[in-house]
Amino acid sequence: SNFFLAKGDVYQRYYNEVVIPAIEYMEGEIWELVNQDATYKSGLSKEQLMESAGVEFYNFLTFTLERMLSVWLWNNKEITFKQVI
């Protein structure tokens, strides 16, 4: 699994600075590129994914977002690992 824990203020800042703008951009201007099958085979089956999320495949939006945290942390060196686990 891929997750992180952060103090509320750090998470809120990351969410506002990265997650919201990234989703708005990807779901708008580049949706055709992002909304393609990422061929991820380790998750839910096609049927389970359709039942739980209403989609047939994992697209690239999910995997792009999960990698953005490390870039954001790299560019915000004032955030310490005491604030992010």
Side-chain angles (χ1 to χ4, degrees):
S1 89
N2 192 346
F3 65 92
F4 72 97
L5 300 172
K7 290 186 175 184
D9 60 318
V10 173
Y11 184 81
Q12 190 65 47
R13 187 174 153 202
Y14 171 69
Y15 185 77
N16 290 330
E17 291 178 15
V18 177
V19 175
I20 294 295
I23 290 174
E24 288 174 352
Y25 175 69
M26 286 189 277
E27 286 185 339
E29 194 168 325
I30 61 169
W31 185 242
E32 299 282 325
L33 295 172
V34 174
N35 191 36
Q36 295 182 36
D37 189 345
T39 66
Y40 182 69
K41 303 299 181 204
S42 297
L44 300 174
S45 70
K46 188 176 184 177
E47 294 77 19
Q48 292 170 317
L49 197 55
M50 180 56 84
E51 184 177 317
S52 65
V55 296
E56 295 181 356
F57 55 83
Y58 291 92
N59 67 19
F60 288 103
L61 187 141
T62 303
F63 303 106
T64 303
L65 286 176
E66 92 180 355
R67 286 162 178 80
M68 293 180 87
L69 176 65
S70 59
V71 174
W72 184 74
L73 289 171
W74 179 262
N75 287 306
N76 291 280
K77 296 192 185 327
E78 74 280 2
I79 299 171
T80 67
F81 280 99
K82 290 181 181 179
Q83 296 169 303
V84 178
I85 298 177

PDB file of all heavy atoms in Angstrom, residues 1-17:
ATOM      1  N   SER A   1       0.836  -1.180   0.000  1.00  0.00           N
ATOM      2  CA  SER A   1       0.000   0.000   0.000  1.00  0.00           C
ATOM      3  C   SER A   1       0.878   1.239   0.000  1.00  0.00           C
ATOM      4  O   SER A   1       2.037   1.203   0.397  1.00  0.00           O
ATOM      5  CB  SER A   1      -0.953  -0.049   1.179  1.00  0.00           C
ATOM      6  OG  SER A   1      -0.434   0.535   2.337  1.00  0.00           O
ATOM      7  N   ASN A   2       0.316   2.337  -0.429  1.00  0.00           N
ATOM      8  CA  ASN A   2       1.055   3.580  -0.532  1.00  0.00           C
ATOM      9  C   ASN A   2       0.263   4.660   0.197  1.00  0.00           C
ATOM     10  O   ASN A   2      -0.828   5.023  -0.221  1.00  0.00           O
ATOM     11  CB  ASN A   2       1.247   3.935  -2.012  1.00  0.00           C
ATOM     12  CG  ASN A   2       2.240   5.057  -2.187  1.00  0.00           C
ATOM     13  OD1 ASN A   2       2.612   5.746  -1.249  1.00  0.00           O
ATOM     14  ND2 ASN A   2       2.660   5.254  -3.414  1.00  0.00           N
ATOM     15  N   PHE A   3       0.823   5.165   1.300  1.00  0.00           N
ATOM     16  CA  PHE A   3       0.124   6.186   2.069  1.00  0.00           C
ATOM     17  C   PHE A   3       1.146   7.008   2.838  1.00  0.00           C
ATOM     18  O   PHE A   3       2.313   6.651   2.933  1.00  0.00           O
ATOM     19  CB  PHE A   3      -0.885   5.558   3.033  1.00  0.00           C
ATOM     20  CG  PHE A   3      -0.247   4.720   4.114  1.00  0.00           C
ATOM     21  CD1 PHE A   3       0.077   5.295   5.335  1.00  0.00           C
ATOM     22  CD2 PHE A   3       0.027   3.386   3.919  1.00  0.00           C
ATOM     23  CE1 PHE A   3       0.682   4.542   6.332  1.00  0.00           C
ATOM     24  CE2 PHE A   3       0.617   2.619   4.904  1.00  0.00           C
ATOM     25  CZ  PHE A   3       0.947   3.207   6.125  1.00  0.00           C
ATOM     26  N   PHE A   4       0.672   8.120   3.414  1.00  0.00           N
ATOM     27  CA  PHE A   4       1.502   8.895   4.313  1.00  0.00           C
ATOM     28  C   PHE A   4       0.609   9.510   5.370  1.00  0.00           C
ATOM     29  O   PHE A   4      -0.598   9.667   5.178  1.00  0.00           O
ATOM     30  CB  PHE A   4       2.296   9.974   3.565  1.00  0.00           C
ATOM     31  CG  PHE A   4       1.463  11.131   3.076  1.00  0.00           C
ATOM     32  CD1 PHE A   4       1.384  12.308   3.804  1.00  0.00           C
ATOM     33  CD2 PHE A   4       0.769  11.051   1.877  1.00  0.00           C
ATOM     34  CE1 PHE A   4       0.619  13.373   3.351  1.00  0.00           C
ATOM     35  CE2 PHE A   4       0.017  12.112   1.413  1.00  0.00           C
ATOM     36  CZ  PHE A   4      -0.067  13.276   2.160  1.00  0.00           C
ATOM     37  N   LEU A   5       1.190   9.820   6.490  1.00  0.00           N
ATOM     38  CA  LEU A   5       0.511  10.525   7.565  1.00  0.00           C
ATOM     39  C   LEU A   5       1.177  11.871   7.718  1.00  0.00           C
ATOM     40  O   LEU A   5       2.396  11.976   7.588  1.00  0.00           O
ATOM     41  CB  LEU A   5       0.609   9.750   8.882  1.00  0.00           C
ATOM     42  CG  LEU A   5       0.017   8.351   8.904  1.00  0.00           C
ATOM     43  CD1 LEU A   5       0.364   7.657  10.213  1.00  0.00           C
ATOM     44  CD2 LEU A   5      -1.472   8.401   8.703  1.00  0.00           C
ATOM     45  N   ALA A   6       0.392  12.883   8.003  1.00  0.00           N
ATOM     46  CA  ALA A   6       0.963  14.206   8.203  1.00  0.00           C
ATOM     47  C   ALA A   6       0.122  14.970   9.208  1.00  0.00           C
ATOM     48  O   ALA A   6      -1.066  14.680   9.387  1.00  0.00           O
ATOM     49  CB  ALA A   6       1.001  14.980   6.888  1.00  0.00           C
ATOM     50  N   LYS A   7       0.748  15.926   9.843  1.00  0.00           N
ATOM     51  CA  LYS A   7      -0.011  16.813  10.717  1.00  0.00           C
ATOM     52  C   LYS A   7      -1.049  17.523   9.865  1.00  0.00           C
ATOM     53  O   LYS A   7      -0.853  17.751   8.673  1.00  0.00           O
ATOM     54  CB  LYS A   7       0.916  17.819  11.387  1.00  0.00           C
ATOM     55  CG  LYS A   7       1.825  17.172  12.415  1.00  0.00           C
ATOM     56  CD  LYS A   7       2.617  18.217  13.168  1.00  0.00           C
ATOM     57  CE  LYS A   7       3.420  17.546  14.266  1.00  0.00           C
ATOM     58  NZ  LYS A   7       4.136  18.532  15.074  1.00  0.00           N
ATOM     59  N   GLY A   8      -2.155  17.857  10.476  1.00  0.00           N
ATOM     60  CA  GLY A   8      -3.280  18.448   9.752  1.00  0.00           C
ATOM     61  C   GLY A   8      -2.922  19.658   8.912  1.00  0.00           C
ATOM     62  O   GLY A   8      -3.349  19.777   7.765  1.00  0.00           O
ATOM     63  N   ASP A   9      -2.113  20.560   9.459  1.00  0.00           N
ATOM     64  CA  ASP A   9      -1.766  21.768   8.710  1.00  0.00           C
ATOM     65  C   ASP A   9      -0.902  21.448   7.497  1.00  0.00           C
ATOM     66  O   ASP A   9      -1.048  22.061   6.436  1.00  0.00           O
ATOM     67  CB  ASP A   9      -1.085  22.801   9.609  1.00  0.00           C
ATOM     68  CG  ASP A   9       0.215  22.305  10.233  1.00  0.00           C
ATOM     69  OD1 ASP A   9       0.264  21.136  10.676  1.00  0.00           O
ATOM     70  OD2 ASP A   9       1.178  23.096  10.288  1.00  0.00           O
ATOM     71  N   VAL A  10      -0.025  20.462   7.616  1.00  0.00           N
ATOM     72  CA  VAL A  10       0.823  20.061   6.485  1.00  0.00           C
ATOM     73  C   VAL A  10      -0.036  19.397   5.412  1.00  0.00           C
ATOM     74  O   VAL A  10       0.090  19.712   4.219  1.00  0.00           O
ATOM     75  CB  VAL A  10       1.952  19.105   6.942  1.00  0.00           C
ATOM     76  CG1 VAL A  10       2.719  18.545   5.753  1.00  0.00           C
ATOM     77  CG2 VAL A  10       2.891  19.831   7.894  1.00  0.00           C
ATOM     78  N   TYR A  11      -0.910  18.508   5.838  1.00  0.00           N
ATOM     79  CA  TYR A  11      -1.774  17.822   4.868  1.00  0.00           C
ATOM     80  C   TYR A  11      -2.681  18.826   4.161  1.00  0.00           C
ATOM     81  O   TYR A  11      -2.856  18.764   2.942  1.00  0.00           O
ATOM     82  CB  TYR A  11      -2.611  16.736   5.545  1.00  0.00           C
ATOM     83  CG  TYR A  11      -3.416  15.962   4.542  1.00  0.00           C
ATOM     84  CD1 TYR A  11      -2.828  14.942   3.809  1.00  0.00           C
ATOM     85  CD2 TYR A  11      -4.736  16.291   4.267  1.00  0.00           C
ATOM     86  CE1 TYR A  11      -3.535  14.250   2.845  1.00  0.00           C
ATOM     87  CE2 TYR A  11      -5.457  15.602   3.309  1.00  0.00           C
ATOM     88  CZ  TYR A  11      -4.853  14.580   2.606  1.00  0.00           C
ATOM     89  OH  TYR A  11      -5.556  13.918   1.649  1.00  0.00           O
ATOM     90  N   GLN A  12      -3.255  19.757   4.903  1.00  0.00           N
ATOM     91  CA  GLN A  12      -4.150  20.758   4.309  1.00  0.00           C
ATOM     92  C   GLN A  12      -3.393  21.614   3.293  1.00  0.00           C
ATOM     93  O   GLN A  12      -3.904  21.910   2.212  1.00  0.00           O
ATOM     94  CB  GLN A  12      -4.764  21.643   5.389  1.00  0.00           C
ATOM     95  CG  GLN A  12      -5.866  22.540   4.891  1.00  0.00           C
ATOM     96  CD  GLN A  12      -7.076  21.762   4.403  1.00  0.00           C
ATOM     97  OE1 GLN A  12      -7.539  20.849   5.075  1.00  0.00           O
ATOM     98  NE2 GLN A  12      -7.584  22.104   3.242  1.00  0.00           N
ATOM     99  N   ARG A  13      -2.167  21.969   3.627  1.00  0.00           N
ATOM    100  CA  ARG A  13      -1.350  22.761   2.695  1.00  0.00           C
ATOM    101  C   ARG A  13      -1.056  21.967   1.425  1.00  0.00           C
ATOM    102  O   ARG A  13      -1.189  22.483   0.312  1.00  0.00           O
ATOM    103  CB  ARG A  13      -0.054  23.173   3.394  1.00  0.00           C
ATOM    104  CG  ARG A  13       0.763  24.117   2.594  1.00  0.00           C
ATOM    105  CD  ARG A  13       1.955  24.611   3.360  1.00  0.00           C
ATOM    106  NE  ARG A  13       2.984  24.957   2.386  1.00  0.00           N
ATOM    107  CZ  ARG A  13       4.260  25.020   2.648  1.00  0.00           C
ATOM    108  NH1 ARG A  13       4.709  24.784   3.861  1.00  0.00           N
ATOM    109  NH2 ARG A  13       5.110  25.324   1.701  1.00  0.00           N
ATOM    110  N   TYR A  14      -0.656  20.702   1.574  1.00  0.00           N
ATOM    111  CA  TYR A  14      -0.388  19.844   0.414  1.00  0.00           C
ATOM    112  C   TYR A  14      -1.642  19.688  -0.445  1.00  0.00           C
ATOM    113  O   TYR A  14      -1.600  19.810  -1.664  1.00  0.00           O
ATOM    114  CB  TYR A  14       0.119  18.471   0.889  1.00  0.00           C
ATOM    115  CG  TYR A  14       0.218  17.452  -0.207  1.00  0.00           C
ATOM    116  CD1 TYR A  14       1.174  17.563  -1.206  1.00  0.00           C
ATOM    117  CD2 TYR A  14      -0.658  16.378  -0.257  1.00  0.00           C
ATOM    118  CE1 TYR A  14       1.259  16.632  -2.232  1.00  0.00           C
ATOM    119  CE2 TYR A  14      -0.574  15.435  -1.273  1.00  0.00           C
ATOM    120  CZ  TYR A  14       0.381  15.569  -2.253  1.00  0.00           C
ATOM    121  OH  TYR A  14       0.454  14.652  -3.264  1.00  0.00           O
ATOM    122  N   TYR A  15      -2.753  19.451   0.203  1.00  0.00           N
ATOM    123  CA  TYR A  15      -4.022  19.282  -0.498  1.00  0.00           C
ATOM    124  C   TYR A  15      -4.369  20.531  -1.310  1.00  0.00           C
ATOM    125  O   TYR A  15      -4.729  20.444  -2.481  1.00  0.00           O
ATOM    126  CB  TYR A  15      -5.115  18.972   0.530  1.00  0.00           C
ATOM    127  CG  TYR A  15      -6.452  18.649  -0.061  1.00  0.00           C
ATOM    128  CD1 TYR A  15      -6.703  17.407  -0.632  1.00  0.00           C
ATOM    129  CD2 TYR A  15      -7.490  19.583  -0.044  1.00  0.00           C
ATOM    130  CE1 TYR A  15      -7.942  17.094  -1.171  1.00  0.00           C
ATOM    131  CE2 TYR A  15      -8.722  19.278  -0.583  1.00  0.00           C
ATOM    132  CZ  TYR A  15      -8.944  18.038  -1.138  1.00  0.00           C
ATOM    133  OH  TYR A  15     -10.174  17.743  -1.675  1.00  0.00           O
ATOM    134  N   ASN A  16      -4.259  21.689  -0.697  1.00  0.00           N
ATOM    135  CA  ASN A  16      -4.603  22.946  -1.369  1.00  0.00           C
ATOM    136  C   ASN A  16      -3.596  23.354  -2.443  1.00  0.00           C
ATOM    137  O   ASN A  16      -3.976  23.880  -3.484  1.00  0.00           O
ATOM    138  CB  ASN A  16      -4.736  24.079  -0.342  1.00  0.00           C
ATOM    139  CG  ASN A  16      -5.959  23.924   0.519  1.00  0.00           C
ATOM    140  OD1 ASN A  16      -6.972  23.378   0.111  1.00  0.00           O
ATOM    141  ND2 ASN A  16      -5.871  24.394   1.746  1.00  0.00           N
ATOM    142  N   GLU A  17      -2.315  23.125  -2.184  1.00  0.00           N
ATOM    143  CA  GLU A  17      -1.268  23.558  -3.113  1.00  0.00           C
ATOM    144  C   GLU A  17      -1.040  22.580  -4.268  1.00  0.00           C
ATOM    145  O   GLU A  17      -0.606  22.987  -5.338  1.00  0.00           O
ATOM    146  CB  GLU A  17       0.056  23.752  -2.360  1.00  0.00           C
ATOM    147  CG  GLU A  17       0.052  24.924  -1.415  1.00  0.00           C
ATOM    148  CD  GLU A  17       1.359  25.074  -0.649  1.00  0.00           C
ATOM    149  OE1 GLU A  17       2.383  24.449  -1.029  1.00  0.00           O
ATOM    150  OE2 GLU A  17       1.356  25.819   0.349  1.00  0.00           O
TER     151      GLU A  17
END
